[in-house]
Amino acid sequence: MSKTSLREGQVIISLPESCLLTTDTVMRSYLGAYVAKWQPHPSPLLALCTFLVAEKHAGTRSPWKPYLEILPKAYTCPVCLEPEVVNLLPKPLKARAREQRTHVQQFFTSSRDFFSSLQPLFSEAVENIFSYSALLWAWCTVNTRAVYMKLGRRQCFSAEPDTCALAPYLDLLNHSPYVQVKAAFNEETRCYEIRTASSCRQHEEVFICYGPHDNQRLLLEYGFVSPRNPHACVYVSEDMLVKYLPSTDKQMNKKISILKDHGFIENLIFGWDGPSWRLLTALKLLCLEASEFTCWKKVLLGEIISDTNEKTSLDIAQKICHYFIEETNAVLQKVSHIKDKDVALVNQLTLVETLRTEELKILQASAELLHNLQTAFT
């Protein structure tokens, strides 16, 4: 909460370089010599995660204890969710969640030999300290809370970009899609600074913005959903795109190929303003009759080919939208049923419920808009 009114361009928070937790911090620590001599070179991410786990294990002996104590004990990124909860996520997010889990599991497996090399530093077996759950916690800490700060290339690290810094207490500021801020490391003051790009009244909560992310991206990367997010949307996959198109269309494969070649097969969405221009354009091309197929370039340029093509594409969009509405309602009912049976999953299920409820509102708004557009053709 702001004690005073904040003007546009005013510094919200300024954190000295010495307070930032970076790979420089790791290299100056007791871990530095072990990182420097390890082959193959560890990644900057592994160095940060290792330091977090080691310092958390140190407890009261760690100078970072005050910061570590305010960090979440557990995270709600999809990689941390129970499999039955992940199964309730929208299909695109579900696939990315499983990729995320595989990535972290591989990250752990590939790091075990490095952890073993640290045994001289600990009296307890490193297998007990650097467990999968401990590394998962550290990975989520860096992934959800790190700020961007480009550091100089160190020869002891792998070629992966060294751009993550943990900024104690700065990361307590909550996200809002409705504010604008400028965040960067100030080379003159040697501080990481956040400046507001919009005003804030006295006694209001001060927010920052993580970027113009939709709710699926926010959940995947940060473990939360933002209600009334103007960037929220529902993604339409390739298989959904063709679900209600005639299987007898001999030009379908060619149409799909054209969409892929011109970048019209991904990022097709329903948003608060209805189906996106990209989604409707893709559907218009897919709905071209054989006699209209030579006009496909005009479709991609936004030209109207015929009233029939316009109406058919709107009809297909409406069918897809209604399918998603039915599916979302079914999932919400399932979530409610599981919440009544399994108290341990309530928090995770509430997260899915919030995401699905927001998406249902978007789909309902889209269905109404499509109905109005269809009416114009009758």
Side-chain angles (χ1 to χ4, degrees), residues 71-77 80-81 136-138 140-142 144-145 222 348:
L71 292 174
K73 301 296 185 290
Y75 289 90
T76 50
C77 303
C80 302
L81 302 181
L136 176 61
W137 171 83
C140 287
T141 297
V142 175
T144 64
R145 308 181 82 82
Y222 302 104
Q348 292 187 16

Side-chain angles (χ1 to χ4, degrees), residues 15-217:
L15 203 62
E17 186 176 18
S18 59
C19 294
L20 300 175
L21 199 166
T22 67
T23 52
D24 287 343
T25 311
V26 179
M27 296 311 295
R28 289 193 301 266
S29 75
Y30 51 90
L31 291 173
Y34 290 84
V35 172
K37 68 182 180 182
W38 184 253
Q39 294 288 341
H41 297 314
S43 66
L45 175 61
L46 177 57
L48 286 173
C49 289
T50 303
F51 185 80
L52 284 171
V53 173
E55 289 298 296
K56 187 178 182 182
H57 175 73
T60 56
R61 293 177 285 112
S62 170
W64 294 91
K65 179 177 179 289
Y67 175 55
L68 294 173
E69 284 187 333
I70 67 162
L71 292 174
K73 301 296 185 290
Y75 289 90
T76 50
C77 303
V79 68
C80 302
L81 302 181
E82 293 299 320
E84 63 184 295
V85 177
V86 172
N87 283 335
L88 298 170
L89 295 173
K91 186 176 179 180
L93 181 57
K94 188 190 308 182
R96 295 178 71 184
R98 288 169 176 164
E99 289 172 4
Q100 190 182 68
R101 183 183 294 273
T102 299
H103 170 74
V104 176
Q105 289 172 339
Q106 291 174 345
F107 181 51
F108 172 67
T109 301
S110 64
S111 304
R112 296 177 79 170
D113 287 344
F114 172 67
F115 296 148
S116 295
S117 75
L118 305 177
Q119 187 62 70
L121 295 172
F122 305 96
S123 57
E124 186 178 341
V126 291
E127 292 82 4
N128 297 331
I129 300 170
F130 296 94
S131 62
Y132 175 75
S133 61
L135 184 67
L136 176 61
W137 171 83
W139 184 89
C140 287
T141 297
V142 175
N143 196 59
T144 64
R145 308 181 82 82
V147 297
Y148 179 87
M149 180 177 168
K150 191 171 183 178
L151 297 164
R153 172 87 165 87
R154 283 181 180 268
Q155 294 300 317
C156 62
F157 288 129
S158 63
E160 295 176 28
D162 190 356
T163 55
C164 290
L166 289 169
Y169 303 106
L170 178 153
D171 57 12
L172 291 177
L173 292 170
N174 288 323
H175 164 82
S176 170
Y178 296 101
V179 303
Q180 292 182 322
V181 296
K182 295 180 180 179
F185 184 75
N186 189 322
E187 295 290 348
E188 293 183 4
T189 62
R190 306 303 297 174
C191 293
Y192 192 90
E193 297 176 348
I194 294 184
R195 295 177 180 271
T196 178
S198 53
S199 60
C200 178
R201 290 197 294 265
Q202 184 181 13
H203 299 148
E204 281 189 343
E205 181 176 357
V206 179
F207 291 96
I208 58 175
C209 183
Y210 298 171
H213 303 316
D214 62 70
N215 278 335
Q216 292 194 24
R217 173 77 181 276

